[in-house]
Each structure stands twice: as C-alpha cells, then as structure tokens.
Amino acid sequence: MKRILRDERGMALAVAIFALVVVGALVAGAFFAGTQEQRVGENQRRVMTSFGVAEAGVQERVMSWDPTTMNKRNSYPQDSVVIGPNQPTPNGTGSYGGYSYKLGPNLFLIDVTGRDNASAAGVIAGGGGARQRLGMITRIAPIDFGIHASLTTQGSTNLAGNAAVNGADSIPSGWTSCDPPGPAQPGIRDQGGNVTESGNGSVTGNPAVVNDPSINNNTFTTFGGATYDQLAARANVTLGSGVYKTNPAFNGALCDKTDLLNWGDGMNPLSACGSY
C-alpha cells in the first residue's frame, strides 16, 4: 500500500507572501494611476495657463500699438518686430514672446508664444513644460472721412486775397514714405451754392467746382461707421475754446509730447516732431 505524505507546514507563509505581493501590486497600480492622473491634470493646467499667457500677449501688443513705429514698417518678409522675448504678463502668470509682421498697408500678423512661470523657468521635473503659440491677424480700420473734394461746404464760398483751393493730390516736400498721389479731386464740393473769386483767390481741381445735392448735416458728423461724438469720446487731449496755432513744441532737441498744444511738425518730417 502506497503512503502519501500530507505535510502542509509552511503553506500559510507562502499564501501570506503571495497575498502581500498581490496587494502590493494593486496599491502600486493605484498609486501609479493616481500619480499619472495628477500629472495629466497639472499638464493640462499648464497648457491652459500658457494659452492664456499667449492670448494676453497678443492683446497687450494690440493695446500698446504705436502707430508712429508699427505702421511705417516694411511689409513681410522685409521687416518684423520682436515681441518680448520674455515679456511678463500683467497678472504675473507667465511670459511671452514672438514677432509682429506687416502683411499689407493695413494688415498685420501678431505671432506670440506664451509659457507659464514654471515652464519658462525650467523647473519642471524631466524638463519640457507647456507652451502655446497663438497668431492673430489684425487690421487697422482707417476712419472714412469721405473726402471727395479739397473743400466740402453747404453754403456759398468766396475766395479772396491769396486764398487758393486745389483738388490735386501731391506729396509735401521731404515726405519720402507716402503712397503715390491719387487722382485729382474737385476743388470745391457744395450743395449748390455760389462760388466766387476775388483778388488772387483761385479754385482748381477736376472739376474746379462740383454740386452735390446729397450733402446734408450728416456729411459733417458721420464718417463711415463712426460718428463725430464717438470720435470725440475717444480723444485723449481736450482743449477748451480759444485760438490756437498749429505749431510743434520742442524741449531742447526733443519733441515735447507733454505739451497739449504740440500739433507736431508735419511739414518737416525729419524734425524731432516730424512723426508726432
């Protein structure tokens, strides 16, 4: 008769070790999943913050637009303007940098890359970090004043002395960045009133005088999509009634831009106030 040994001593230890291994694997898996979830959430937060930084950078560039320097740039690819490169946002959430390109006479591309503070500082474990790149095409919308003549009026006009009205488009002496002259306009555009000349007064244009019955009060208060009141509300220099001279103001060799009566020096574009 064959005898079978049934010695089960030590089985409890083996089962306990196996159970510990299984439990440890489950705990490690749960810990790993939780860590990964936290990292994914943190990365997503950094991505969203970086996007907000890039968006803020684009808006800051538009709000701080300087027409005296930006509008006179050459068109891409001849010229570009550096933004930043590590310009902090107003709320301190990150920094941004990029370029601004002129695509046409009134069309610009603003290309900005934003990074949150931790990504920009390079303190994230494993390197890398988040960054978002945002491009915005913006257009300068000039006010359409509807200039269809050198002088537009509702009433009669009398030119006396040395008064002269000329409808021809011309480039002032010394101005080198102007567009080519446009076609000649009428000298005087009126509602049907009389135009008289005396002394050395003269009217020239194509034609010299044109009658336009559509002229009314709105002709002088509505300009394209803007009204006079809307434009006046945006003025940052307000002067009371009085008699003023359209002269430039200088502080030594510099243009005095703090003087409210400084009208710039358009006739001398190379002077300190030539582009003011």
Side-chain angles (χ1 to χ4, degrees), residues 44 97 110 117 138 157 162-163 175 178 194 217-218 227 264 274:
Q44 185 67 20
I110 302 176
N117 285 327
T138 182
T157 304
N162 293 320
W175 290 29
C178 295
N194 296 323
N217 292 337
N218 291 332
T227 65

Side-chain angles (χ1 to χ4, degrees), residues 237-242 244 260-261 263:
V237 176
T238 303
L239 299 177
S241 59
Y244 302 98
L260 297 182
L261 301 182
W263 292 73

Side-chain angles (χ1 to χ4, degrees), residues 5-148:
L5 298 178
R6 297 181 178 275
D7 190 354
E8 297 181 356
R9 289 179 298 177
M11 289 297 295
L13 178 60
V15 172
I17 293 175
F18 179 77
L20 287 175
V21 171
V22 173
V23 172
L26 293 175
V27 172
F31 181 78
F32 177 78
T35 302
Q36 289 298 103
E37 186 72 19
Q38 181 182 10
R39 289 179 178 176
V40 170
E42 183 67 15
N43 290 340
Q44 185 67 20
R45 185 187 68 82
R46 295 190 189 282
V47 168
M48 296 303 297
T49 302
S50 298
F51 181 84
V53 170
E55 190 174 30
V58 170
Q59 296 299 329
E60 282 293 315
R61 171 55 57 175
V62 173
M63 293 176 61
S64 60
W65 194 271
D66 185 359
T68 60
T69 58
M70 297 298 297
N71 295 5
K72 297 181 180 180
R73 295 284 179 175
N74 294 322
S75 297
Y76 178 83
Q78 298 181 17
D79 202 357
S80 62
V81 179
V82 177
I83 302 174
N86 295 310
Q87 183 70 27
T89 57
N91 57 3
T93 56
S95 59
Y96 61 88
Y99 295 90
S100 174
Y101 306 96
K102 185 177 182 180
L103 304 181
N106 297 315
L107 196 64
F108 295 83
L109 169 63
I110 302 176
D111 181 10
V112 171
T113 299
R115 308 189 74 179
D116 65 285
N117 285 327
S119 299
V123 298
I124 300 177
R131 65 179 179 180
Q132 290 287 288
R133 185 177 181 182
L134 187 64
M136 183 176 74
I137 294 180
T138 182
R139 181 176 66 90
I140 298 176
I143 300 298
D144 182 12
F145 288 98
I147 300 176
H148 303 294

